[in-house]
Amino acid sequence: MTPIGSRPPSVDTTALRKVQPRFSGIESGHGACQGCGQALAARLVLEAAGPDVIVANATGCLEIFTTPWPQSAWTVPWIHSLFENAAAVAAGIEVALRAQGRTTRVLAFAGDGGTFDIGFQALSGMLERNHDVLFVCFDNEAYMNTGVQRSGSTPHGAWTNTSPAGRVRQGKRHFKKDLLAIIAAHGIPYAATASVAYPSDLRAKVRRALDVSGPSFLLLHSPCPLGWGHDSALTISVDRLAVETGLFPILEMERGHVVGSMKIRNPRPVHEYALPQFRFRHLLAETPEAREELEHLQALADANIERYGLLSDAPGPRDSGGADTVRRGGSRWG
Amino acid sequence: MGIDKERPASSVRVNAGGFALPGTSRMNHTGSWRLERPLYVTSPSPCHGACPAHEEIPVYLDHLAMDRPRQAWEALVAANPLPAVTGRVCPHPCETACHRGSYDTAVSIHSAERFLGDMALREGWPYPGLDGDQREEAVAVVGAGPSGLSCAYHLRRVGYRVTLFEALPEAGGTCRIIPDYRLPAEILSREVERILATGIDFRPGQKLGREISLEELEEGFSAVFLAPGRQKNRIYSVDHALPGDLHHGLDLLWEWRNVGSLPRWDRAVVVGGGNTAVDLARTLLRTGSREVHVVTDEELPGLPSPTGRGAMPAIAREVAMALEEGVRIHTGRRIGRLILREERVIAVELLHALKEIEGQTPVHRAFSGTETILETDAVIPAVGQEVDPAGIERLLGNRTFLSLLPTGQVEGETRIFAGGDACPGGGIVSQAVGSGHHGARRIDALLRQKTLSPESPPSPIPFTSLNLAYFEERPAYVPRERHGEARTGFSEIETTGPADEIRTEADRCFSCGHCLECDNCWTLCPDGAVLRTAGIPGIPVPYVFDYDYCKGCGLCAQECPSGHIRMSPEP
């Protein structure tokens, strides 16, 4: 047993960072929690998008933890205005760049609060006006920045501070808003969902979204260890289960039509997803109410699998079992 | 253009105009949040733990998978100089231990081993790391079987002058009598010659107790390694009755190798359950004997044994092939009586019998009233061999094997070491190779006056340390074998696989406890605290942790497919 990872004293990490073979749009030293899914997700999106972008960021964790005044973790132009107007700000930048004849791409970043609820109106307007912007929603399924309050994205049965679990209610009573269906209704060229557990798929979708002209939308599931109540080491494992249970379907849409999905090679029962998460743990209690709600959650997962035809007929390189298979020397990531 | 904010403890510059400079977050050393730090820790793989020759299997499979066969072979021969031999004859306990076996099918490690061994012979690659005589001291090695050859080779690698004594005219030891259908003589000769060509002073026809004495060796050499094997047939008789024309199994195998002919019997009975018995039975069928029976009080090997009964020590796969070829194996039987007419055996009396394992010592039982008669022309004992005491009487005392100290010396000696079949626990070629390597390391330690801590067997990384989400089921390479009529001669049964298939098979290795360079840690760190270093001169590892920013979340360790990252409490 030889520990070889302790940084050799001779290694100059500042120099090493300059020769990394991937672009880093968010630098180290940001204040995200340990194991933050959103910090990882935002870095992966920018790795795929490259340096020639401008980011308009809604209020939220990402905005807070990357910009501890007077510092910034961003290495690309970045602007924050308000919670509700990331799409509007991005639209304005896009129009200005177009007027100047520049090809820099515009990204809008927001959490699920800034997308599903507070920023929804601006988003809908941006899509309707056909702005050439990629809007990325980092979906951690509650208002985490303000202390874990329910959002329109919080799934059914999940505990939050404003959807507590007790004798009367088993967590959130309502369902997760089917935002993708609303996005589809705008008939935009490209919309997709992705998960931090499948970075190769995520990167391909960012590149595809930037390849189309006109509005595109990416719903990016990114676990929050603090708000979901799981171990910080389990961010990827938990999100893989979100996909493999069917609770978070991985889809691609062109002009509102579902044109592709990540098939599930080995579907997992929802209790495996619930087990490591505090927000679902009450569903595992030995009470009739908990059992019923867990079955309800399973039924919602099954309904997703049925609706989008997520079951795999034969193992393939792009299904949930193949999309993250490792290759020696890292060639998988492309 | 910036102004200093009034924060005396900080040199932070605040820019007028409400903007921040890019990437300035790196001023915050968020590594201070950390309670545990990740470490890249190479742990022993289960195959390595099970390999009697201590091969670093994941290392050479990785080279092979990445299409670097020469580096793969060089990593292989760092432990075992006879891969073309062991790739053919070893029962490969590595494959039994392989974690991939608990997932889909074990990696066909022996196929990779023999492929590399054959490729090296074909290409004429020289052994790496032989830089001549850096050491003054000379070491004597007695016995040019796999243990002695391995010891001599490993001593050469660290620069000792080595003289290798062998009683027979040729090197190779007991490997020489392994039949050609398992190990072609030419393959053995070529690997042996390559070892002898490393600058070993080879002295054939020199037998301990005949041409040379232990005292002379002690006088003329700084250290002695004894690997005489087991050359003396164990005495065999049934109630003191013996046929006049008794042949021992091992002698017949030597006769076949040296003379090239064997008696042809209508029906021969081979007694014993080891590899000699099975090799001989199959050889007799191939050389014209019509019926060959094997009698043993043990069970077939490789079966679940809830009764605690002893299984035949022969390699399970070889026993299965013997049965396919028509050898009749009578398990759970013992010969109670030889039926002789004028000193010729005409039949044997068989009894139901069993061998029970109670603690260390086996107990043999036979049951009267169960006798049957098996007519035969010959009874051939293959019941094992003992160490020939000639020349080493002083070391053996009243024992039948050489007993070793934990530091490798023969008990009661300081400069005499031993290995191979002459010591307890021997029996397969890779063990002999491993014991020779071990002896060489111990001799080197003695001569450099280094203290080596007693070697504890490596504890392999547990299956649960792997993250199986990153692997997929993949069909295993199945070695091609001759069947039926194609297997009646002495052509090799198994063939060396084609390069592309073997490379694909090597890529099935999970690399348990070793780095796959899959980029998971680098890709998945939320804090950008893993930096890729591959290809940058002067840094021997593919990634480094930047502890200035690692918050210790543990994600990289969790998502490492091969268990190469461990979390350790912050000092």
Side-chain angles (χ1 to χ4, degrees):
Chain A
M1 210 169 78
T2 337
I4 54 169
S6 324
R7 193 174 81 214
S10 58
V11 174
D12 175 355
T13 49
T14 304
L16 205 48
R17 281 174 185 275
K18 291 188 179 128
V19 295
Q20 291 296 290
R22 285 184 196 152
F23 169 67
S24 183
I26 298 180
E27 265 294 355
S28 300
H30 60 69
C33 302
Q34 293 166 316
C36 177
Q38 195 183 26
L40 170 58
R43 211 197 75 213
L44 291 172
V45 168
L46 286 174
E47 268 181 23
D52 191 15
V53 294
I54 295 177
V55 175
N57 204 156
T59 303
C61 277
L62 182 64
E63 172 253 324
I64 296 292
F65 73 66
T66 54
T67 51
W69 177 256
Q71 295 143 14
S72 167
W74 300 88
T75 62
V76 295
W78 175 91
I79 184 168
H80 165 243
S81 167
L82 292 167
F83 208 144
E84 64 272 30
N85 65 357
V89 171
I93 298 169
E94 185 262 332
V95 173
L97 289 171
R98 200 173 347 136
Q100 295 172 17
R102 290 166 64 185
T103 54
T104 299
R105 304 308 302 266
V106 183
L107 309 177
F109 284 180
D112 49 290
T115 307
F116 286 63
D117 304 342
I118 299 175
F120 179 69
Q121 176 185 279
L123 168 61
S124 180
M126 183 200 93
L127 300 179
E128 178 263 327
R129 293 189 307 272
N130 206 38
H131 289 285
D132 191 5
V133 172
L134 167 58
F135 190 105
V136 182
C137 170
F138 299 96
D139 185 6
N140 56 24
E141 305 190 324
Y143 289 87
M144 301 310 187
N145 184 39
T146 47
V148 198
Q149 292 85 19
R150 78 185 278 299
S151 76
S153 171
T154 303
H156 180 72
W159 165 94
T160 67
N161 276 314
T162 48
S163 62
R167 271 183 299 120
V168 180
R169 292 254 185 272
Q170 298 288 319
K172 189 187 175 189
R173 184 156 47 114
H174 311 100
F175 300 123
K176 182 181 174 104
K177 187 190 282 186
D178 187 357
L179 185 71
L180 213 61
I182 306 172
I183 301 291
H186 290 79
I188 59 169
Y190 186 81
T193 62
S195 152
V196 285
Y198 294 96
S200 302
D201 174 72
L202 160 56
R203 285 170 194 220
K205 284 171 175 167
V206 170
R207 285 193 285 260
R208 226 165 277 163
L210 291 174
D211 276 349
V212 299
S213 65
S216 50
F217 178 84
L218 188 59
L219 183 64
L220 182 39
H221 209 234
S222 33
C224 170
L226 198 72
W228 295 11
H230 63 74
D231 191 295
S232 62
L234 296 181
T235 297
I236 299 295
S237 304
V238 162
D239 219 33
R240 188 181 294 120
L241 283 166
V243 173
E244 290 185 323
T245 51
L247 283 170
F248 191 84
I250 302 294
L251 304 168
E252 267 192 312
M253 295 198 308
E254 306 257 356
R255 296 277 178 217
H257 289 275
V258 177
V259 294
S261 63
M262 181 185 285
K263 305 288 183 196
I264 303 173
R265 189 181 295 185
N266 296 307
R268 316 299 302 179
V270 293
H271 70 79
E272 286 188 19
Y273 180 55
L275 190 62
Q277 300 185 56
F278 174 81
R279 64 174 181 158
F280 286 124
R281 203 159 297 151
H282 55 278
L283 301 181
L284 302 172
E286 291 290 328
T287 62
E289 300 81 24
R291 260 197 298 279
E292 189 192 330
E293 212 57 88
L294 188 66
E295 280 167 12
H296 195 162
L297 201 62
Q298 183 66 59
L300 291 169
D302 293 346
N304 275 341
I305 290 175
E306 194 181 303
R307 178 178 174 190
Y308 297 112
L310 296 179
L311 285 191
S312 153
D313 305 326
R318 308 227 171 271
D319 68 16
S320 68
D324 58 354
T325 297
V326 289
R327 308 263 181 273
R328 276 166 212 280
S331 58
R332 153 183 62 148
W333 303 113
Chain B
M1 64 179 183
I3 53 162
D4 280 330
K5 209 174 178 181
E6 282 177 36
R7 284 167 72 186
S10 159
S11 61
V12 173
R13 290 175 66 82
V14 176
N15 300 295
F19 66 92
L21 293 174
T24 40
S25 62
R26 281 188 49 215
M27 289 176 188
N28 308 316
H29 284 192
T30 49
S32 63
W33 304 11
R34 192 172 59 235
L35 298 175
E36 286 185 307
R37 65 169 56 195
L39 294 170
Y40 293 111
V41 179
T42 302
S43 311
S45 58
C47 48
H48 169 71
C51 176
H54 315 304
E55 291 176 6
E56 285 290 1
I57 294 165
V59 175
Y60 71 74
L61 290 184
D62 183 66
H63 283 306
L64 188 51
M66 298 298 279
D67 206 13
R68 300 187 294 258
R70 178 141 184 193
Q71 276 153 285
W73 178 77
E74 290 183 353
L76 169 53
V77 296
N80 174 9
L82 291 163
V85 171
T86 51
R88 287 173 164 82
V89 301
C90 183
H92 35 77
C94 51
E95 294 182 19
T96 312
C98 175
H99 278 338
R100 184 116 205 177
S102 308
Y103 179 73
D104 49 10
T105 315
V107 177
S108 187
I109 299 166
H110 80 280
S111 298
E113 189 186 28
R114 72 177 277 167
F115 171 82
L116 291 171
D118 283 12
M119 187 165 184
L121 290 177
R122 198 172 58 243
E123 304 285 330
W125 291 334
Y127 288 117
L130 285 155
D131 305 324
D133 307 324
Q134 301 101 331
R135 306 284 307 172
E136 281 295 301
E137 300 93 331
V139 180
V141 177
V142 178
S147 179
L149 285 167
S150 165
C151 184
Y153 163 79
H154 284 290
L155 287 168
R156 288 299 299 147
R157 277 172 73 91
V158 282
Y160 290 98
R161 288 183 290 129
V162 180
T163 307
L164 176 59
F165 298 95
E166 167 59 45
L168 298 175
E170 275 186 308
T174 307
C175 288
R176 285 250 168 247
I177 56 162
I178 297 174
D180 277 28
Y181 58 81
R182 282 176 66 196
L183 172 64
E186 193 217 343
I187 296 284
L188 175 67
S189 297
R190 290 173 64 191
E191 280 205 329
V192 165
E193 277 159 26
R194 192 179 50 192
I195 294 176
L196 296 179
T198 58
I200 293 167
D201 178 10
F202 180 53
R203 309 265 182 90
Q206 304 275 307
K207 187 177 186 309
L208 199 60
R210 196 175 64 197
E211 286 83 8
I212 45 171
S213 75
L214 200 56
E215 289 69 30
E216 284 167 357
L217 296 180
E218 284 184 281
E219 179 76 28
F221 295 90
S222 302
V224 180
F225 183 79
L226 299 176
R230 300 183 187 206
Q231 307 303 339
K232 203 179 92 173
N233 285 311
R234 208 165 270 167
I235 294 167
Y236 179 79
S237 76
V238 181
D239 284 341
H240 308 291
L242 276 183
D245 58 343
L246 185 74
H247 301 273
H248 279 278
L250 199 68
D251 297 343
L252 286 176
L253 286 173
W254 275 114
E255 195 173 315
W256 172 244
R257 175 61 70 207
N258 292 333
V259 183
S261 73
L262 281 176
R264 295 177 181 201
W265 286 294
D266 274 343
R267 189 185 271 172
V269 172
V270 180
V271 187
N275 284 319
T276 307
V278 175
D279 282 349
L280 178 66
R282 297 171 72 190
T283 301
L284 287 176
L285 274 188
R286 282 169 167 79
T287 53
S289 288
R290 278 189 45 240
E291 242 180 57
V292 180
H293 296 253
V294 170
V295 175
T296 173
D297 60 2
E298 294 147 328
E299 293 193 330
L300 288 178
L303 302 173
S305 183
T307 56
R309 292 183 188 177
M312 295 169 68
I315 297 170
R317 192 168 144 270
E318 303 297 325
V319 173
M321 288 207 244
L323 288 168
E324 273 178 57
E325 290 164 10
V327 173
R328 301 181 194 191
I329 301 181
H330 302 264
T331 53
R333 295 288 184 277
R334 186 206 290 184
I335 295 183
R337 197 158 65 93
L338 299 182
I339 300 170
L340 303 176
R341 291 292 178 269
E342 286 138 20
E343 293 205 350
R344 283 183 59 85
V345 66
I346 59 159
V348 292
E349 189 184 281
L350 298 184
L351 287 139
H352 283 233
L354 58 86
K355 177 166 127 183
E356 276 179 316
I357 306 295
E358 288 172 8
Q360 290 288 318
T361 26
V363 177
H364 299 270
R365 300 185 204 284
F367 304 100
S368 56
T370 59
E371 296 84 352
T372 51
I373 295 296
L374 178 65
E375 289 181 30
T376 183
D377 306 322
V379 170
I380 306 159
V383 291
Q385 293 82 41
E386 288 171 357
V387 178
D388 182 353
I392 51 170
E393 295 87 350
R394 184 186 101 203
L395 305 179
L396 280 172
N398 51 12
R399 282 186 301 258
T400 55
F401 52 84
L402 290 170
S403 187
L404 297 184
L405 298 170
T407 46
Q409 287 99 333
V410 177
E411 247 174 50
E413 301 292 330
T414 51
R415 292 195 294 130
I416 302 181
F417 297 74
D421 279 356
C423 302
I428 62 176
V429 177
S430 50
Q431 273 169 343
V433 169
S435 76
H437 189 183
H438 178 80
R441 289 188 52 205
R442 290 294 171 178
I443 289 170
D444 183 46
L446 174 81
L447 298 182
R448 284 177 201 262
Q449 295 173 325
K450 259 190 331 196
T451 318
L452 281 188
S453 50
E455 278 160 44
S456 51
S459 68
I461 187 164
F463 186 62
T464 47
S465 296
L466 307 177
N467 190 331
L468 298 173
Y470 291 103
F471 298 108
E472 282 187 276
E473 290 182 20
R474 282 166 63 183
Y477 169 75
V478 181
R480 310 230 197 331
E481 291 176 356
R482 293 172 195 275
H483 289 283
E485 285 298 305
R487 209 202 265 178
T488 45
F490 280 88
S491 303
E492 219 187 335
I493 291 173
E494 192 173 316
T495 49
T496 303
D500 53 340
E501 289 183 42
I502 298 298
R503 196 170 58 235
T504 307
E505 181 64 10
D507 194 35
R508 288 179 69 244
C509 173
F510 283 163
S511 287
C512 305
H514 292 63
C515 183
L516 273 164
E517 293 192 38
C518 68
D519 285 354
N520 264 13
C521 50
W522 180 50
T523 305
L524 298 176
C525 176
D527 291 292
V530 180
L531 302 176
R532 185 157 170 82
T533 55
I536 296 173
I539 306 178
V541 289
Y543 313 95
V544 292
F545 293 112
D546 189 343
Y547 292 120
D548 287 346
Y549 304 105
C550 166
K551 293 169 185 160
C553 70
L555 201 152
C556 53
Q558 175 71 28
E559 300 307 323
C560 177
S562 55
H564 186 244
I565 302 177
R566 287 203 192 158
M567 298 305 289
S568 160
E570 195 59 25

